[in-house]
Amino acid sequence: MEGKLVRNSGLEFAGYHEVSAGPLHGVNLLRAAVSLVQLSIGTAQALVKLRQIRPQVILLTGGWANLPLALGARLLGIPSIVYLPDIEPGLAIKLLSRFAAKVAISVGASARYFPAGKTVVTGYPLQENRLRATWVKALERFKLDSTRRTLLVFGGSRGARSINIALGEHLGRLLADGLQILHITGELDWARAQRQAGRLIDHPDYQVFPYLHDDMGLAFAAADLVLCRAGASTLAELPLFGLPAILAPYPYAWRYQKINADYLSDRGAAIRLNDEDLPSRLYDEIAYLIHDEARLREMSRRSRALANTDGAYNLARLLLETAKT
């Protein structure tokens, strides 16, 4: 997916290289032994590539694939920056941070996981289509009624089946309540979600898409309330638009999404709803918020107070400063 996005972005892409790597955490002893061999090979590969490319600074974003590069950079004296998009770091980022000059974090709450002075709050790098989106353009793009509430539902590029199923079960009631709904199913669940919607697929107030990329910023700008997972991007995208949210953390991703959701809910910007409670509680939670204008407005205010629009600039500046030292 990333390769396609790079090609479509129009950005100059200088090259692509691979090194061998493997996980060490959460695997059996045999797999860990194989990973150690792969990491050793990967470190040798990284040393060769780094000598060829001669970078002034390296940006690492987590995952075991970064470890050979981090080791190679340390051996060659090349400084690196680790970027943590979520609030809580995984084991790989904790390990990578030992080799890095600084750890760039999305929000200040992440600083407690690292030694004092190790972190810099940069914010989350937002895409340009988010930063340029306006409510007026969003109404025009999706042909929405400006006097009515709009619910945005999504689960990432691949979708979130449990969210899609729960929405499908309550779709008729929500539309009967007068909501306008923008539903992004994800490409993997697109066909099933259409079948579940049945005749409501043609309802004038229900717009369903397999995926939005360039227009995702407009979808955010159109919304009054969001139902989604709690991936790292929600820490920046929801506050950017001052959006109240019902967050259903993905239950099989350790606890990263739960901590992200709690960060927003503890600050009054969102409600966390466990995945298993979606079928029974979703309608009531949406109806409660949509019909409580004062609560929705207060959540929006609290969400917007967490916004940081300069994440990309701040991260780029940190990289440039690190390259000069």
Side-chain angles (χ1 to χ4, degrees):
M1 182 180 70
E2 290 83 356
K4 181 180 179 182
L5 294 177
V6 167
R7 289 192 296 273
N8 293 340
S9 69
L11 296 171
E12 182 180 354
F13 194 57
Y16 174 82
H17 310 279
E18 291 185 359
V19 298
S20 178
L24 296 174
H25 181 64
V27 297
N28 59 41
L29 288 176
L30 178 59
R31 183 65 185 90
V34 172
S35 292
L36 285 172
V37 174
Q38 291 176 317
L39 290 166
S40 299
I41 294 171
T43 302
Q45 293 170 327
L47 283 168
V48 172
K49 289 298 179 184
L50 290 172
R51 285 195 178 101
Q52 292 173 348
I53 300 169
R54 297 183 180 277
Q56 293 172 285
V57 65
I58 295 172
L59 174 63
L60 306 170
T61 57
W64 294 107
N66 284 246
L67 186 53
L69 190 61
L71 290 169
R74 170 60 71 87
L75 291 171
L76 295 176
I78 302 170
S80 63
I81 297 293
V82 175
Y83 172 61
L84 170 63
D86 293 290
I87 290 176
E88 184 183 46
L91 186 60
I93 282 191
K94 288 180 179 178
L95 182 57
L96 291 170
S97 68
R98 299 181 181 183
F99 303 100
K102 292 288 182 180
V103 178
I105 54 179
S106 295
V107 298
S110 297
R112 68 180 184 269
Y113 296 104
F114 301 97
K118 188 74 173 183
T119 59
V120 177
V121 180
T122 59
Y124 185 96
L126 288 157
Q127 296 184 51
E128 195 69 20
N129 67 52
R130 272 68 161 169
L131 295 169
R132 291 184 177 180
T134 66
W135 183 65
V136 172
K137 290 180 180 178
L139 294 183
E140 180 181 352
R141 163 64 178 85
F142 297 109
K143 298 179 174 56
L144 298 169
D145 183 343
S146 63
T147 65
R148 295 165 60 194
R149 297 290 191 191
T150 299
L151 172 68
L152 171 62
V153 182
F154 68 96
S157 61
R158 293 179 175 269
R161 177 163 292 191
S162 57
I163 289 179
N164 291 338
I165 291 173
L167 177 70
E169 290 177 355
H170 301 293
L171 185 58
R173 295 173 71 188
L174 292 169
L175 291 169
D177 286 346
L179 271 178
Q180 301 175 117
I181 299 175
L182 301 178
H183 181 196
I184 304 165
T185 67
E187 295 175 350
L188 293 181
D189 205 33
W190 166 243
R192 191 214 57 77
Q194 286 183 299
R195 290 193 300 271
Q196 185 183 12
R199 288 180 295 178
L200 291 174
I201 199 76
D202 296 319
H203 195 288
D205 296 325
Y206 177 57
Q207 298 184 51
V208 58
F209 311 89
Y211 182 57
L212 287 178
H213 177 56
D214 293 338
D215 288 339
M216 191 63 198
L218 294 176
F220 281 118
D224 296 291
L225 177 66
V226 174
L227 167 63
C228 64
R229 292 298 194 199
S233 64
T234 59
L235 297 172
E237 291 171 337
L238 299 180
L240 173 67
F241 295 95
L243 284 171
I246 297 172
L247 300 175
Y250 182 59
Y252 306 110
W254 183 225
R255 60 188 186 194
Y256 308 121
Q257 290 204 11
K258 178 184 178 297
I259 290 176
N260 292 343
D262 286 345
Y263 174 83
L264 293 172
S265 63
D266 289 348
R267 286 157 180 79
I271 293 173
R272 178 167 70 84
L273 189 59
N274 291 335
D275 201 68
E276 63 270 20
D277 295 328
L278 281 168
S280 61
R281 292 182 52 191
L282 181 61
Y283 174 78
D284 290 339
E285 294 288 357
I286 293 174
Y288 167 68
L289 287 176
I290 285 296
H291 294 112
D292 189 340
E293 185 174 341
R295 174 77 186 279
L296 207 62
R297 186 165 53 247
E298 178 62 13
M299 288 178 69
S300 177
R301 183 188 70 80
R302 289 174 177 266
S303 178
R304 196 177 301 279
L306 302 173
N308 181 347
T309 62
D310 298 323
Y313 173 82
N314 292 337
L315 185 56
R317 183 178 62 184
L318 178 61
L319 287 164
L320 289 171
E321 291 172 352
T322 304
K324 293 176 181 178
T325 58

